[in-house]
Amino acid sequence: MTVLSIGLLYGASTLLVMFSGMPIAFALGAVATLFMIVFMPASSVDTITQNVYEEMASITLLSIPLFILKGAAIGRSRAGQDLYGALHAWMHRIPGGLGIANVFACALFAAMAGSSPATCSAIGSAGIPEMRKRGYSGGFAAGIIAAGGTLGILLPPSITMILYAVASEQSLGRLFLAAIGPALLLVALFAAYAAWKFRREFREAERQFAQSGTQSELLRPDELTMRDKFALLPRVLPFVILLTGVMIALYGGYATPSETAGLGAVLALLLIATIYSVWRASDLKPILVATLRESTMLMLIIGMSLLYSYVMSYLHISQSTAESIVELHLSSWVLLTAILLFVVVLGFFLPPVSIIVMTAPIILPPLKAAGFDLIWFGVVMTIVMEMGLIHPPVGLNLFVIKNIAPDIPLRDVIWGVMPFVALMILAVVLMCFFPGIATWLSDAVMGLKTR
C-alpha cells in the first residue's frame, strides 16, 4: 500500500474507533497497536511499552502531576470562593463590576491552578449563584465563567503549553512568558464585554421598572463597608504571594519547571493547611485522589498520543503529509488559516492534549518553513484550542458549568459563550497583525530569539 492509502486508512480508523465511544487514550492506543501489528515488523509490538516509556521520559512532563497537585490543593479548598469574594468586594461599584470580578478571579485562579475545569468549578460555584442573585441572566453568568475558565490552558503553569514545548522542542520558559500578553488581552476583552453586557441588562431592567414597576436585583444598591473589604484580604494575599513566588522562581532562573511545580505544590498544601486547616488525612484524601485520577488520565492520554505519533512517523504519514503541505506552495497566511481551521475542527472532538501531540509532527514543519515563530504559533494555537473548550459538541467547560448550575438550560449556556468565542477570534486576529503581543515579553526577559 502507498503512504497515502495507509495515511487515509489510519485517519479513518481513528475516527471510527473514537466515534464508537471508546475513551480517547484507549482509542489512540488501539489504533496505533493495530497498525503496528499489520504494517510494522512483528518485533515492534514487543517494544510498545518501551516506546511509550521513552517518549514520556521527559523531565518537563514530570512537572504535570505536580502542577495538577497544586491546582487540586487550591481548587479543593475555599481559595476560589475567597478570591472571588475579595474581588467582588473591591469592584462591586464599577458598572458590571461583578462580571469583571469573575473574569479577574478566573484569571488569577487559572494562574495558580493551571486547569480549566478546576477554574470553572472553583470560581463558578461561587460566581454563578452570586451573579444570578444580583439579577444577571443565567446565560451571561454561565458564559463568563466558562470563557474565563479557558484561561487555565493559556496562563502559566499551563499543562497544554508544557506539552507543546515538548512536542515542538521550544523553550518552556519562553513559551510561558509569551502567553502572558495574550492572556492579559483576553482578560481585557472579556472584562470590556462584561461591562457592556451589564449596561444593556441594566437599561433593560430600568425600562421594565418604568413600565411595570418590577424592580430587578440589578437595580438594588450593593453596600459594603471598607471593613468588609479589608476583612477578605488576609485569606487572598497568601495565594497571590504563592503565585508571585512561583513566577519569580521560574523566570528568575532559580528553579527548573519541574522544581517550580514541586515547590508550588508543597507551598499550596502548606497554605491550605495553615489557612483552612486542611491537614487531616480525611481532608487531604479528596485532594490526593483528584490529583491521582487526573494525572493518571492525562498521562495515559499523553502516552497513547505519543505512541500514536510514533507509529505515524514510522509509517512516514506525518513526514509525507508535511511535505505535501509544503509542496502546495500556499502563501504563509493561507497556510496558517488552513491549519488553524483544522485545529478548530479537531477541537470539536478532541481535548487540547491530544490535538497537540497528534498534530505537531504534521503542522509544525510547514509552519517553520513558512517563517512563522513557533513560540508565537504555540500561543495562537492555544487560544484556538480554548475555543474548543466552550463550543459544541464537546465543549468540556460547558458540561462543567452545567454540573454547577443544572437549572440553566444548555441552550442558554451555549448562547452565553458565543460572544466570548468571537472575542477569542478577535484576539487571534490582533496577534496576527501585532505578533509582539505574544513575543515582546519573552524577548525582553530572555533576549531576542533568532527566527
Side-chain angles (χ1 to χ4, degrees):
M1 295 181 67
T2 64
V3 174
L4 176 61
S5 300
I6 296 175
L8 292 175
L9 184 60
Y10 199 58
S13 301
T14 304
L15 291 176
L16 181 64
V17 174
M18 284 186 174
F19 283 128
S20 71
M22 184 181 294
I24 292 174
F26 295 115
L28 297 177
V31 172
T33 302
L34 176 62
F35 274 72
M36 290 179 76
I37 294 172
V38 176
F39 295 103
M40 294 172 62
S43 59
S44 64
V45 180
D46 298 331
T47 64
I48 290 178
T49 305
Q50 179 183 349
N51 287 331
V52 173
Y53 173 78
E54 289 179 352
E55 293 287 348
M56 295 181 65
S58 167
I59 192 66
T60 304
L61 292 180
L62 174 64
S63 63
I64 291 178
L66 296 172
F67 279 128
I68 291 175
L69 175 59
K70 187 181 81 164
I74 297 173
R76 296 274 170 168
S77 69
R78 284 184 47 84
Q81 296 181 20
D82 286 346
L83 178 63
Y84 164 75
L87 289 172
H88 171 221
W90 285 90
M91 302 180 68
H92 73 283
R93 290 186 178 275
I94 303 173
L98 184 55
I100 297 172
N102 277 283
V103 174
F104 286 177
C106 284
L108 288 174
F109 192 88
M112 290 187 287
S115 170
S116 181
T119 302
C120 280
S121 179
I123 304 302
S125 59
I128 291 179
E130 183 67 22
M131 292 182 74
R132 299 184 71 189
K133 186 175 74 175
R134 301 289 180 180
Y136 287 74
S137 63
F140 175 49
I144 201 167
I145 296 295
T150 64
L151 297 170
I153 69 168
L154 181 61
L155 279 165
S158 164
I159 294 172
T160 301
M161 287 201 160
I162 293 173
L163 290 176
Y164 179 84
V166 173
S168 61
E169 299 180 349
Q170 299 294 311
S171 165
L172 179 59
R174 185 179 288 274
L175 193 61
F176 276 176
L177 284 170
I180 294 177
L184 294 177
L185 172 63
L186 284 176
V187 169
L189 291 174
F190 291 172
Y193 173 75
W196 176 81
K197 179 69 174 177
F198 170 81
R199 289 183 180 276
R200 286 194 61 186
E201 294 193 353
F202 187 83
R203 285 196 296 267
E204 178 63 21
E206 286 183 323
R207 187 185 66 80
Q208 291 183 1
F209 179 71
Q211 290 180 352
S212 62
T214 303
Q215 185 173 6
S216 168
E217 289 295 328
L218 286 175
L219 304 179
R220 297 186 185 276
D222 185 11
E223 296 296 336
L224 288 173
T225 65
M226 291 300 294
R227 182 177 181 179
D228 295 331
K229 296 179 181 181
F230 280 103
L232 290 167
L233 287 183
R235 286 179 175 263
V236 177
L237 287 178
F239 291 97
V240 176
I241 294 172
L242 166 63
L243 171 62
T244 305
V246 168
M247 299 281 278
I248 292 175
L250 180 62
Y251 300 127
Y254 300 107
T256 65
S258 298
E259 293 168 346
T260 303
L263 175 65
V266 171
L267 290 179
L269 289 171
L270 290 175
L271 283 175
I272 64 171
T274 303
I275 299 175
Y276 301 104
S277 300
V278 179
W279 53 269
R280 299 178 182 86
S282 58
D283 298 326
L284 292 174
K285 182 179 177 180
I287 297 173
L288 299 178
V289 169
T291 301
L292 184 61
R293 182 184 296 115
E294 186 174 348
S295 298
T296 302
M297 177 191 68
L298 191 57
M299 296 305 287
L300 190 59
I301 292 176
I302 293 171
M304 293 301 102
S305 298
L306 291 170
L307 178 65
Y308 184 90
S309 299
Y310 166 75
V311 175
M312 196 162 51
S313 176
Y314 186 93
L315 297 176
H316 295 281
I317 297 173
S318 56
Q319 297 93 322
S320 298
T321 305
E323 290 171 2
S324 299
I325 294 174
V326 172
E327 290 172 359
L328 291 174
H329 299 293
L330 300 173
S331 69
S332 57
W333 293 108
V334 171
L335 173 65
L336 177 66
T337 302
I339 288 176
L340 291 180
L341 289 175
F342 176 56
V343 173
V344 169
V345 173
L346 289 179
F348 291 155
F349 314 104
L350 296 172
V353 170
S354 297
I355 294 175
I356 289 175
V357 179
M358 291 170 58
T359 62
I362 297 175
I363 65 177
L364 294 184
L367 287 169
K368 189 173 183 179
F372 286 105
D373 180 1
L374 295 186
I375 293 289
W376 171 86
F377 175 75
V379 178
V380 171
M381 183 179 181
T382 301
I383 296 176
V384 172
M385 290 188 295
E386 282 183 326
M387 300 178 200
L389 294 173
I390 59 174
H391 69 56
V394 177
L396 175 61
N397 284 12
L398 300 181
F399 296 101
V400 174
I401 295 299
K402 189 62 180 171
N403 184 55
I404 296 172
D407 57 322
I408 301 178
L410 184 59
R411 177 179 178 274
D412 291 350
V413 177
I414 293 174
W415 281 112
V417 301
M418 286 299 107
F420 295 98
V421 173
L423 292 175
M424 290 179 185
I425 295 173
L426 174 61
V428 170
V429 173
L430 289 174
M431 288 180 61
C432 290
F433 283 101
F434 307 101
I437 295 173
T439 59
W440 71 272
L441 184 58
S442 60
D443 288 345
V445 174
M446 306 187 71
L448 293 175
K449 179 184 176 184
T450 303
R451 294 184 173 86

